């Protein structure tokens, strides 16, 4: 019994039957299920091993569906929606009373996103309703960015996977909560904070990178089994025989086993999870990662690296 690729028709059939199906999005692969079906939602938590207190993002086709889930949508969010939907921006809004506690985690808010991936959009259109779709990895592990990653994670379960190729962005959505004049960034992600500042007329508040703001999210997350340490470029030279190094841009001359990611945040984010997964299978004792700049545009990557490096 192992995970298997299915086509769009089969994916729709399974979702209608209340199953969870792994699906491509522009950020990472998601584990999708009917957002109005409690037993389907429970399948997401059971399959991932996700704590029930961790709320789910509802994926909708467009802003016409917003008020099916949100009790109100602030007018100030219009520019954000115009510019970022469909796309990797999740909005946390006051929830309608009938939204399942499995979706909200018991809070009075609901997180909403309108994905841009063409195959996911086609799936949403054919399915007809909304889908919850947290990242398809086992809870706490590195998010999958290809169908092969999902197939590898569920090699002993009959999970259906819709293959849409490699994810274009490779990092999760940015989660924001409008609050009067304020826009709180709850999770840095694929939409840079700089872009939010252009689109929001009030104040954009960004958490210090050490803060965990989203409910239910464990500090250690996005983490390979191999121990990860984030160090300066000069400290990469301390890499031992059994270690492997991830650097930015060009490799330092003295490191033997080294992998490079682009020295800019978009390309870096796109390649990071696939590289972490590949190296995690390599049997190394440590993964030494060159620290990324303290600049705001690196914040989402910095957040993921910091969490990957937390000890269990
Ligand atoms: P993911 O596993 O990437 O889908 O993560 C979804 C994230 O969205 C979780 O970390 C949740 O904490 C966050 N989230 C979902 N719903 C809400 C909500 N109502 N309020 C605040 N954060 C939320
Ligand atoms: Mg996740």
């Amino acid at each position: 019994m192992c995970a298997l690729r299915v086509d769009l028709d089969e994916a729709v059939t399974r979702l209608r039957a209340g199953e969870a199906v792994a699906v491509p999005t522009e950020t990472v692969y998601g584990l999708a299920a009917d957002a109005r079906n409690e037993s389907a939602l429970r399948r997401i938590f059971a399959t991932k091993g996700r704590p029930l207190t961790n709320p789910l993002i509802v994926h909708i086709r467009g802003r016409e569906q917003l008020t099916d889930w949100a009790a109100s949508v602030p007018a100030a969010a219009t520019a954000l929606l115009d510019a970022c939907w469909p796309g990797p921006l999740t909005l946390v809004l006051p929830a309608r009373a009938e939204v399942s506690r499995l979706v909200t985690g018991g809070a009075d808010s609901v997180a909403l996103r309108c994905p841009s991936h063409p195959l996911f959009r086609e799936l949403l259109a054919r399915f007809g309703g909304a889908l919850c779709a947290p990242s398809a990895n086992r809870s706490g592990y590195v998010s999958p960015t290809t169908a092969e990653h999902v197939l590898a994670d569920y090699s002993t379960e009959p999970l259906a996977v819709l293959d849409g190729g490699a994810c274009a962005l490779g990092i999760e959505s940015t989660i924001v909560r409008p609050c009067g004049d304020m826009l709180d960034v709850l999770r840095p992600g694929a939409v840079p904070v700089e872009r939010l500042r252009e689109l929001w007329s009030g104040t954009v508040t960004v958490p210090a990178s050490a803060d965990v703001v989203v409910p239910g999210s464990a500090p250690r997350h996005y983490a390979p089994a191999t121990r990860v340490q984030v160090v300066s470029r000069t400290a990469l030279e301390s890499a031992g025989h059994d270690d492997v190094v991830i650097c930015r841009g060009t490799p330092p001359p003295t490191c033997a086993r080294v992998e490079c990611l682009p020295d800019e945040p978009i390309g870096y984010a796109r390649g990071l999870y696939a590289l972490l997964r590949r190296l995690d299978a390599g049997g190394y004792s440590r993964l030494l990662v060159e620290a990324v700049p303290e600049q705001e545009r690196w914040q989402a990557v910095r957040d993921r690296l910091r969490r990957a490096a937390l000890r269990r």
Side-chain angles (χ1 to χ4, degrees), residues 50 54-57 92 109-111 134-135 175 186-187 214-215 217:
R50 184 179 174 100
N54 194 350
L56 300 170
I57 296 172
V92 172
S109 59
V110 60
S135 52
I175 304 180
L186 302 184
R187 177 177 73 187
V214 282
S217 76

Side-chain angles (χ1 to χ4, degrees), residues 53-281:
T53 48
N54 194 350
L56 300 170
I57 296 172
V58 177
H59 295 71
I60 56 179
R61 272 162 298 159
R63 68 173 89 173
E64 315 76 59
Q65 281 82 46
L66 264 175
T67 47
D68 294 347
W69 300 88
S72 61
V73 183
T78 304
L80 283 177
L81 293 171
D82 285 345
C84 300
W85 274 26
L89 182 73
T90 298
L91 234 57
V92 172
L93 297 172
R96 291 178 66 108
E98 70 274 18
V99 181
S100 166
R101 292 177 65 84
L102 290 172
V103 173
T104 63
D108 53 9
S109 59
V110 60
L112 291 150
R113 175 175 157 211
C114 173
S116 64
H117 193 290
L119 196 55
F120 193 13
R121 293 190 64 74
E122 179 72 22
L123 180 72
L124 279 168
R126 291 222 212 155
F127 177 68
L131 295 168
C132 286
S135 52
N137 52 287
R138 307 262 186 195
S139 196
Y141 192 59
V142 183
S143 302
T145 57
T146 66
E148 287 75 18
H149 292 160
V150 183
L151 293 166
D153 283 3
Y154 299 92
S155 59
T156 57
E157 282 163 62
L159 177 69
V161 185
L162 182 63
D163 189 347
C167 301
L169 300 172
I171 196 161
E172 291 78 5
S173 64
T174 302
I175 304 180
V176 295
R177 180 176 51 203
C179 199
D181 185 40
M182 313 274 272
L183 186 70
D184 299 330
V185 180
L186 302 184
R187 177 177 73 187
V191 177
V193 171
E194 192 182 25
R195 182 82 182 116
L196 300 175
R197 291 195 210 285
E198 290 166 7
L199 296 166
W200 185 258
S201 57
T203 310
V204 177
T205 62
V206 187
S209 66
D211 291 349
V212 179
V213 238
V214 282
S217 76
R220 182 180 154 88
H221 204 85
Y222 316 105
T226 313
R227 184 175 159 208
V228 174
Q229 277 185 293
V230 181
V231 300
S232 69
R233 189 163 179 95
T234 40
L236 292 176
E237 288 168 19
S238 71
H241 294 309
D242 299 337
D243 297 336
V244 64
V245 163
I246 299 180
C247 72
R248 274 184 297 118
T250 50
T254 52
C255 285
R257 249 188 306 250
V258 57
E259 298 278 346
C260 300
L261 285 170
D263 194 11
E264 46 80 25
I266 295 172
Y268 192 106
R270 183 181 300 129
L272 176 62
Y273 290 156
L275 182 57
L276 288 177
R277 281 174 169 264
R278 180 159 62 77
L279 297 181
D280 205 18

